[in-house]
Amino acid sequence: MAGHRDPLDELVVPDGTEAKEVALETDGDVLIGSRSTIEFGVRGRNVLAGEGVSVDGEIEAGGDCRLDMWCDVAENVLVGQDAYIGERVHIAGKLKVAGDLDIGDDVDIEEGFEANGWIVIRNPMPTIVLMFVYLKHLLLIGEEDTAQRLISELVDEDADEDDPDTEPLVIPGNATVGDDAWRVSTPATIGDDCRLHGNVRAETIAVGSDCNIFGSLRARDNVTVGNGTRIHGDLTTRNGDVTITDDARILGDVSCADLELGPGAEIDGTIRADGEITMATGERDLE
């Protein structure tokens, strides 16, 4: 069957995520891969950032926050539970921690820090790095159940009992996420009821239902747009097919190989399809 994928090898935007003027907000956890740039703030439950991540706004974590070495945060870091700050992290604002603080060497916090619990000055990050290396090894040898348990311990240990299955927001390594564009070299999956600003650039793109994306979609391969979603821009794929499902609307042009349109789907601009165009009427009964 299909090979095992590194959980940080895909952009995953869970249901209900909003990109507001100053922050990217989600109800669940946030995982940010190494050397990514987030051009606004981040608000979530637990926030975990890999080595060399840059955040151009404020981080608000309702649970834990873990910043690996060389991270750079342009504003405050506010943590509802415990914080783990790796060596040579730079925080331009304040660090406020409701629980314990584990902090590495040569950390620069320009406006000072406070913690209500224990403060330990050392470098906790190698443990986090080891966890991700171990996770990748488990996936390579096919131990998916063990890997899933490790992921649950990392990102779901503080999940609300009423909502234990909230999917994390995952930003892969070397990504750029901002008001202008979301650029990744991996597949991208966007859930239902999301409201995002910026052009999405990815290997493949799957958008859920009832989303509003204020920008264009561009992929190397296939693109799918869910029911009732609005794309306020063009939809372009270099080599793939495009599926626009029921009552979805593209307010720009569409360029692809094959194009499949569901009932009520609308395209305001020009259609350029190298292959077939299939239009469903009434009940979806294609093929």
Side-chain angles (χ1 to χ4, degrees), residues 4 21 59 63 67 74 76 83 89 95 117 151 174 187 199 219 222 225 227 270:
H4 306 296
E21 287 186 14
I59 293 178
L67 304 181
N76 300 325
V89 166
L95 171 63
I151 294 172
N174 300 298
N199 304 310
N222 296 343
V225 178
N227 298 351
T270 302

Side-chain angles (χ1 to χ4, degrees), residues 198-228:
N199 304 310
V200 180
R201 306 287 185 259
E203 180 182 321
T204 61
I205 302 174
V207 184
S209 302
D210 300 314
C211 294
N212 259 304
I213 299 181
F214 295 90
S216 61
L217 304 182
R218 181 180 297 171
R220 285 191 292 272
D221 292 311
N222 296 343
V223 178
T224 302
V225 178
N227 298 351

